[in-house]
């Protein structure tokens, strides 16, 4: 798991890769901004190096998401055959909406829904 910490030692962002039913999942928690987006990029690159058909990015635990996060997802989207995003928080959904990326990415409200569509 990758983490970016404040000076106080408190993680402001964590990124963890896992697999469920053979599908790679990148779970992100905390704030995704210009400082922490490289953590997301690194894990996405790691997962994409295995050439998955489907890659799920779980943003349900993200409390702040800016254009740096969108950039990381766009880079992954260019390389992934099928990139799916899980998001249910207004802070993330708002960024997708105002950037127009809600028409680019498959955004699902639950991990189960995102995974079910891979069958």
């Amino acid at each position: 798991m990758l983490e970016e910490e404040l000076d106080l030692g408190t993680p402001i962002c964590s990124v963890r890769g896992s697999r469920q039913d053979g599908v790679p999942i990148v779970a992100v928690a905390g704030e995704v901004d210009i400082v922490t987006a490289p953590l997301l990029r690194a894990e996405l690159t790691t997962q994409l190096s295995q050439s998955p058909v489907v890659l799920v990015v779980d943003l349900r635990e993200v409390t702040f998401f800016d254009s740096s996060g969108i950039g990381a997802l766009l880079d992954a989207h260019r390389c992934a055959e099928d990139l799916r995003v899980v998001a249910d928080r207004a802070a993330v959904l708002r960024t997708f909406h105002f950037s127009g990326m809600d028409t680019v990415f498959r955004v699902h409200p639950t991990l189960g829904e995102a995974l079910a569509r891979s069958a």
Side-chain angles (χ1 to χ4, degrees):
M1 175 169 47
L2 305 172
E3 293 183 342
E4 181 70 32
E5 297 182 353
L6 294 170
D7 291 337
L8 302 174
T10 305
I12 57 172
C13 181
S14 68
V15 180
R16 179 177 45 87
S18 65
R19 284 184 137 12
Q20 186 171 330
D21 300 327
V23 177
I25 299 168
V26 175
V28 186
E31 300 177 7
V32 179
D33 58 20
I34 195 165
V35 173
T36 60
L39 297 173
L40 175 57
R41 283 182 192 277
E43 186 60 34
L44 290 169
T45 299
T46 297
Q47 295 298 328
L48 288 168
S49 71
Q50 299 170 31
S51 302
V53 173
V54 175
L55 176 60
V56 175
V57 182
D58 186 352
L59 303 176
R60 290 174 298 158
E61 297 299 319
V62 171
T63 57
F64 178 82
F65 195 79
D66 73 4
S67 61
S68 301
I70 292 288
L73 292 179
L74 279 172
D75 288 345
H77 179 67
R78 289 183 191 105
C79 299
E81 196 170 316
D82 186 358
L83 180 75
R84 299 174 190 177
V85 176
V86 181
D88 61 0
R89 291 189 179 199
V92 175
L93 295 172
R94 199 171 24 251
T95 301
F96 275 84
H97 176 72
F98 288 129
S99 66
M101 293 297 111
D102 56 349
T103 62
V104 173
F105 297 107
R106 292 182 183 192
V107 180
H108 306 278
T110 68
L111 182 58
E113 183 180 309
L115 291 170
R117 295 186 184 254
S118 66

